[in-house]
């Protein structure tokens, strides 16, 4: 989260790209939202994704695991580019958190 | 400081006490209807009946007749989806807030209209009114919430009584498409109606020129204010003329009984006199037993059939925007269907209606209409449908006076029109139910 905020507010696009390359996960063909820690909120959000998006995510995760086992990375032309890395899950996770907080707030008051 | 705190509440207590001394809890029965039409053609009907309860109903001309083959069952899903997350409120917030103040929110749909009714004490309704606006006009249909509705739809389908299915099939036989659409989602459509399909249906039918807002126990100005705050597109939306065709549908379901609905073309709602003549005819044919545990009444059909064989018959009447249905619904033991069904069809085709019959029918109809409009949520829904279909609302006295003016010849002409081309739908054990062309 914090990384993406810093990216949005303070970095030029060239600097953003450089930082993205430096982070390294793109060499495994992963997207930023593939790295979210699967807590309860993320699990609920994953259920709300269309099936094809879930399938693509699972494919990327499996491929990355396989590469990691083989101590390998993808050929450079298959690395994820910042432009292709859409935040497909974050908005849903934010919704889930908002709903959960609303329920906690209600339970506190009534 | 302390003195200024008491000012507001004190005044309110005085007015509240004033109301409680004047009016009974249910409110007065001879309330005035105030009908206004806003610039965007939305019809607002307010009735301050001084009741302790407020009922507000938002009605749209968006019933199942406006469905096409692509979005068949959309209305059933939209009705069931009332209370799901909307643009500005989550499912949780809608349910809990309405529960907390002790109000209730219901969605009802028929072939012509779908309506959302909020009911509760005056103070409660005032607090949760924004949620009525959200539920009725700001639907978003989130896909993951829609996918959880499947089980509720299946329960709705499973608990339909056979009488209801006979009436559904009667419409299908009589109109084929449009008004022939079932009020229930077909099984093959469960889970297939996407959120885009529903949004598209809502955009085409939930518009201000097809809407009515009815309020009981609320003053006209605050209801108008609420109506103006509704965020509705002003366009005309879809129209779907549905002429009467006629036909027969049979559905074998087994069991001990056969349910047979027999009807011809009735009257449209835009002609109140003819519509009420058709309603009188319904009561003339058979209003059903009026005493508990008694058998059939003195209607034209039971009289012709005689009182044996443990069957039951009831007149049916439905008036829609441009057409209607009037006839009878039979429930017969499967074994005696061979005799009773042809007998009932013959009685419907050849019965003559006397002045005494018409007078009895008028009295029965007046009682049921007036008690329906006396107070309460049924009145809000009746007026909502009326206002959405015709743009006006007839008060209880006006309705009663039109019923009084119905003559035997009016009723006879409705009967003649209905006899011309009858539709038959039968459900249940049809072993001995004759086909329409054998009658």
């Amino acid at each position: 989260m914090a990384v993406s905020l810093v990216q949005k507010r303070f970095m030029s696009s060239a600097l953003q790209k450089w930082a993205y390359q430096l982070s390294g996960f793109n060499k495994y063909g992963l997207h930023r939202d593939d790295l979210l820690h699967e807590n309860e909120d993320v699990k609920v959000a994953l259920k709300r994704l269309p099936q094809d998006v879930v399938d693509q995510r699972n494919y990327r995760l499996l491929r990355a695991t396989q590469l990691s086992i083989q101590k390998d990375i993808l050929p450079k032309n298959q690395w994820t580019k910042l432009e292709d890395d859409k935040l497909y899950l974050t908005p849903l996770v934010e919704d889930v958190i908002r709903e959960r907080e609303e329920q906690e707030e209600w339970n506190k008051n009534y | 400081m302390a003195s200024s705190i008491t000012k507001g509440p004190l005044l309110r207590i005085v007015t509240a006490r004033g109301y409680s001394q004047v009016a009974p809890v249910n409110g007065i029965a001879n309330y005035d209807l105030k009908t206004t039409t806003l610039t965007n053609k939305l019809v607002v009907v307010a009735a301050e009946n001084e009741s302790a309860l407020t009922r507000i109903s938002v009605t749209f001309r968006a019933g199942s007749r406006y469905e096409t083959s692509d979005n068949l069952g959309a209305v059933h899903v939209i009705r069931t989806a009332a209370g799901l997350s909307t643009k500005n409120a989550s499912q949780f917030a809608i349910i809990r807030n309405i529960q907390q103040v002790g109000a209730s929110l219901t969605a009802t749909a028929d072939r012509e209209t779908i309506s959302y009714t909020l009911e509760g004490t005056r103070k409660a309704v005032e607090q949760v009114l924004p949620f009525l606006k959200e539920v009725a006009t700001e639907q978003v249909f989130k896909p993951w919430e829609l996918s959880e509705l499947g089980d509720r739809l299946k329960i709705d389908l499973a608990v339909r009584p056979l009488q209801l299915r006979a009436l559904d099939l009667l419409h299908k036989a009589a109109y084929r498409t449009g008004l022939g659409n079932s009020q229930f989602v077909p099984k093959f459509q469960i889970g297939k109606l996407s959120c885009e399909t529903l949004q598209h249906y809502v955009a085409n039918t939930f518009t201000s020129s097809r809407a009515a807002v009815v309020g009981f126990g609320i003053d006209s100005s605050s209801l108008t204010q609420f109506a103006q705050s509704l965020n509705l597109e002003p366009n005309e939306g879809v129209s779907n003329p549905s002429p009467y065709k006629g036909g027969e549908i049979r559905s074998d379901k087994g069991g001990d009984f056969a349910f047979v609905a027999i009807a011809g073309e009735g009257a449209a709602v835009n002609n109140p006199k003819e519509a009420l003549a058709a309603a009188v005819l319904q009561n003339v044919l058979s209003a059903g037993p009026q005493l508990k545990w008694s058998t059939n009444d003195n209607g034209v059909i039971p009289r012709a059939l005689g009182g044996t064989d443990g069957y039951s018959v009831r007149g049916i009447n439905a008036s829609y925007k441009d057409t209607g249905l009037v006839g009878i619904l039979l429930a017969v033991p499967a074994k005696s269907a061979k005799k009773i069904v042809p007998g009932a069809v013959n009685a419907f085709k050849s019965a003559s209606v006397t002045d005494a019959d018409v007078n009895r029918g008028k009295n029965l109809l007046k009682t049921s209409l007036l008690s329906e409009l006396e107070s309460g949520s049924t009145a809000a829904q009746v007026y909502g449908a009326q206002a959405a279909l015709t743009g006006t609302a007839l008060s209880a006295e006006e309705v009663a006076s039109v019923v009084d003016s119905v003559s035997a010849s009016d009723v006879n002409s409705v009967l003649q029109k209905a006899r011309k081309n009858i539709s038959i739908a039968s459900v249940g054990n049809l072993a001995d139910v004759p086909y329409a062309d054998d009658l």
Side-chain angles (χ1 to χ4, degrees):
Chain A
M1 277 307 283
V3 175
S4 70
L5 187 79
V6 170
Q7 282 174 354
K8 264 183 223 154
R9 293 285 156 82
F10 303 112
M11 287 189 177
S12 69
S13 73
L15 195 59
Q16 260 182 35
K17 271 184 197 158
W18 176 78
Y20 189 77
Q21 293 292 346
L22 198 69
S23 62
F25 60 81
N26 66 328
K27 293 171 192 163
Y28 291 99
L30 289 169
H31 290 192
R32 277 171 290 172
D33 275 354
D34 298 340
L35 308 178
L36 288 178
H37 181 64
E38 274 194 35
N39 55 19
E40 288 305 313
D41 293 332
V42 176
K43 274 181 193 156
V44 176
L46 276 172
K47 281 189 198 146
R48 299 183 177 187
L49 276 181
Q51 193 54 45
D52 58 327
V53 181
V54 176
D55 290 344
Q56 285 166 17
R57 168 191 162 92
N58 288 343
Y59 171 73
R60 286 193 302 270
L61 288 174
L62 277 175
R63 183 176 59 179
T65 317
Q66 182 67 18
L67 288 167
S68 166
I69 291 168
Q70 294 174 333
K71 306 214 182 319
D72 198 0
I73 56 170
L74 287 174
K76 190 161 186 184
N77 60 358
Q78 289 183 38
W79 292 5
T80 322
K81 293 186 192 70
L82 182 59
E83 306 87 83
D84 302 333
D85 188 348
K86 295 273 175 330
L87 291 173
Y88 63 92
L89 194 58
T90 307
L92 290 174
V93 176
E94 280 166 3
D95 279 353
V96 173
I97 292 174
R98 209 175 302 128
E99 282 166 25
R100 180 171 53 76
E101 282 172 353
E102 185 183 30
Q103 293 188 16
E104 284 166 2
E105 189 67 22
W106 180 276
N107 290 339
K108 227 184 285 167
N109 293 333
Y110 293 101
Chain B
M1 183 66 195
S3 63
S4 68
I5 288 172
T6 53
K7 260 182 205 160
L10 241 183
L11 278 173
R12 231 183 289 147
I13 288 163
V14 170
T15 52
R17 192 192 290 152
Y19 280 131
S20 67
Q21 278 173 346
V22 174
V25 179
N26 271 351
I28 47 174
N30 57 341
Y31 47 83
D32 288 326
L33 286 181
K34 253 192 212 153
T35 311
T36 38
T37 309
L38 302 184
T39 46
N40 61 3
K41 290 197 196 156
L42 185 119
V43 184
V44 183
V45 182
E48 176 53 279
N49 63 356
E50 294 175 18
S51 164
L53 297 175
T54 300
R55 275 109 178 180
I56 299 180
S57 186
V58 182
T59 308
F60 296 96
R61 202 142 44 75
S64 55
R65 72 174 295 180
Y66 298 105
E67 289 169 1
T68 59
S69 55
D70 298 327
N71 55 21
L72 215 54
V75 171
H76 188 188
V77 180
I78 292 171
R79 168 164 69 84
T80 318
L84 296 190
S85 298
T86 62
K87 212 171 278 172
N88 306 312
S90 71
Q91 186 178 14
F92 181 83
I94 293 169
I95 294 172
R96 288 302 172 92
N97 277 292
I98 290 176
Q99 277 178 347
Q100 187 63 28
V101 296
S104 81
L105 177 66
T106 46
T108 35
D110 57 21
R111 290 191 166 75
E112 283 282 7
T113 58
I114 177 163
S115 72
Y116 299 86
T117 307
L118 181 66
E119 201 173 348
T121 60
R122 285 180 180 244
K123 203 170 158 223
V125 168
E126 196 185 324
Q127 279 174 323
V128 293
L129 202 50
F131 290 103
L132 176 62
K133 180 189 167 190
E134 281 293 320
V135 172
T137 62
E138 309 277 356
Q139 296 94 335
V140 288
F141 305 116
K142 300 198 165 156
W144 56 92
E145 289 182 352
L146 277 184
S147 65
E148 285 167 11
L149 287 185
D151 289 338
R152 280 176 63 192
L153 297 175
K154 280 179 195 157
I155 287 182
D156 278 358
L157 291 183
V159 299
R160 281 176 303 171
L162 289 178
Q163 300 88 306
L164 184 67
R165 300 177 73 156
L167 291 179
D168 242 10
L169 291 179
L170 178 71
H171 281 83
K172 190 145 194 79
Y175 299 109
R176 298 174 193 176
T177 56
L179 280 170
N181 292 339
S182 170
Q183 286 173 291
F184 294 90
V185 62
K187 274 182 196 148
F188 60 82
Q189 284 280 64
I190 293 178
K192 301 250 170 66
L193 290 159
S194 68
C195 103
E196 288 81 17
T197 314
L198 298 176
Q199 283 291 12
H200 186 249
Y201 187 82
V202 166
N204 276 328
T205 52
F206 284 48
T207 63
S208 66
S209 51
R210 311 165 68 98
V213 176
V214 178
F216 274 64
I218 183 170
D219 63 295
S220 174
S221 64
S222 36
L223 188 67
T224 311
Q225 211 177 354
F226 168 69
Q228 274 161 344
S229 76
L230 296 179
N231 181 19
L232 296 169
E233 291 292 318
N235 57 339
E236 239 338 287
V238 288
S239 72
N240 193 1
S242 194
Y244 182 88
K245 297 269 177 52
E248 185 194 18
I249 292 184
R250 296 163 67 92
S251 169
D252 278 287
K253 294 282 172 196
D256 297 329
F257 283 89
F259 295 90
V260 185
I262 303 155
E265 184 170 18
V269 76
N270 52 20
N271 181 349
K273 184 146 187 203
E274 201 190 354
L276 286 169
V280 172
L281 177 61
Q282 172 194 13
N283 287 288
V284 166
L285 292 172
S286 173
Q290 301 293 312
L291 289 175
K292 203 171 181 184
W293 310 123
S294 63
T295 50
N296 290 307
D297 73 336
N298 191 27
V300 169
I301 305 287
R303 230 161 44 209
L305 287 174
T308 52
D309 292 320
Y311 70 94
S312 168
V313 60
R314 210 57 66 83
I316 49 175
N317 171 51
S319 289
Y320 300 108
K321 196 170 162 53
D322 49 357
T323 176
L325 277 181
V326 64
I328 51 172
L329 175 66
L330 273 172
V332 290
K335 293 214 172 73
S336 32
K338 201 174 270 177
K339 196 182 92 191
I340 291 178
V341 175
V345 172
N346 282 339
F348 184 64
K349 277 187 174 162
S350 60
S352 60
V353 174
T354 64
D355 280 340
D357 284 329
V358 173
N359 274 335
R360 183 171 45 82
K362 276 157 77 169
N363 290 333
L364 284 164
L365 177 65
K366 237 160 64 176
T367 312
S368 64
L369 282 178
L370 290 180
S371 59
E372 195 173 56
L373 296 180
E374 200 171 23
S375 66
S377 54
T378 47
Q381 283 171 15
V382 168
Y383 281 127
Q386 227 182 78
L389 290 184
T390 63
T392 54
L394 288 176
S395 72
E397 296 95 74
E398 284 169 310
V399 173
S401 74
V402 180
V403 173
D404 280 330
S405 73
V406 170
S407 66
S409 65
D410 294 330
V411 177
N412 263 314
S413 64
V414 173
L415 183 56
Q416 297 305 335
K417 186 177 156 197
R419 277 172 187 170
K420 269 186 217 152
N421 177 7
I422 62 169
S423 305
I424 301 182
S426 24
V427 187
N429 185 340
L430 305 186
D432 286 331
V433 175
Y435 284 80
D437 51 358
D438 293 337
L439 286 166

